[in-house]
Amino acid sequence: MSKKPEAPARIADNKKAAFNYFFEERYEAGMVLQGWEVKALREGKVQLTDGYVVIKQGELFLIGCQINPLKTASTHVTPDSVRTKKLLLHKDEIRRLIGKVEQKGYTLVPLNLHWKAGRAKCEIALAKGKGEHDKRATIADREGKREVERAMKQRNR
């Protein structure tokens, strides 16, 4: 028998998060998904940039993550592309995150969605928001690295 082709490990990245936040700690959380959502994830029909994580009654929820249903979705299921998804973590990790988020300036941000042992996982980060001057510094650093790479490339020719 032939094996199924392996799905790529990364499903989606939140590239905006690194620009808007400083990451303190990272956690890997499981996700409670419906069947049509898993199929859509395998096809890469997900957008994570507007997503954020909230804590309600001692549980974590991913809000704003858009999973677009496939055209072949079942007729007896009504897919909701922006459905709130529950995240699964150990209780002590959730308690620790609740304590940190209640401190001033901390928030929980989804970084990426990926596959691990056939299950969809969401990497979240405990993050602090960057100010406008921090974002400018990030841009300046990035442009400085580009200039160095260009100079090295010219020199190697």
Side-chain angles (χ1 to χ4, degrees):
M1 289 184 123
S2 64
K3 279 189 166 183
K4 281 187 191 177
E6 281 290 318
R10 285 282 166 107
I11 301 168
D13 286 316
N14 187 355
K15 295 177 183 172
K16 230 165 135 179
F19 184 69
N20 291 330
Y21 298 98
F22 292 115
F23 303 137
E24 301 286 327
E25 300 173 14
R26 293 174 186 244
Y27 295 91
E28 184 178 65
M31 297 177 68
V32 178
L33 298 172
Q34 295 178 350
W36 67 268
E37 290 175 320
V38 176
K39 289 181 179 182
L41 286 180
R42 291 199 190 284
E43 296 294 319
K45 305 275 185 187
V46 62
Q47 179 185 357
L48 198 58
T49 53
D50 297 330
Y52 59 97
V53 179
V54 296
I55 301 171
K56 292 181 189 170
Q57 300 172 352
E59 296 179 333
L60 298 177
F61 293 94
L62 179 61
I63 297 177
C65 171
Q66 186 171 353
I67 300 176
N68 297 320
L70 299 174
K71 300 266 191 269
T72 60
S74 177
T75 55
H76 69 279
V77 176
T78 55
D80 179 16
S81 63
V82 288
R83 185 181 73 87
T84 301
K85 293 138 195 80
K86 185 176 177 181
L87 297 176
L88 306 171
L89 279 173
H90 290 282
K91 206 168 250 186
D92 57 329
E93 290 176 329
I94 293 174
R95 284 192 195 117
R96 179 185 169 107
L97 288 174
I98 289 171
K100 291 280 191 173
V101 169
E102 287 175 352
Q103 291 179 8
K104 189 177 177 187
Y106 281 108
T107 187
L108 292 171
V109 181
L111 300 180
N112 67 47
L113 295 177
H114 60 275
W115 296 107
K116 184 173 182 182
R119 302 193 188 271
K121 302 287 185 177
C122 179
E123 186 176 0
I124 60 174
L126 184 67
K128 238 180 187 175
K130 284 185 181 179
E132 194 64 36
H133 62 283
D134 295 326
K135 292 178 186 177
R136 287 191 191 118
T138 302
I139 292 170
D141 290 343
R142 189 180 333 139
E143 289 178 0
K145 287 178 184 175
R146 280 189 196 145
E147 290 295 324
V148 169
E149 286 176 12
R150 284 188 196 132
M152 294 297 288
K153 190 175 181 181
Q154 290 291 337
R155 186 170 178 236
N156 289 337
R157 284 187 178 182

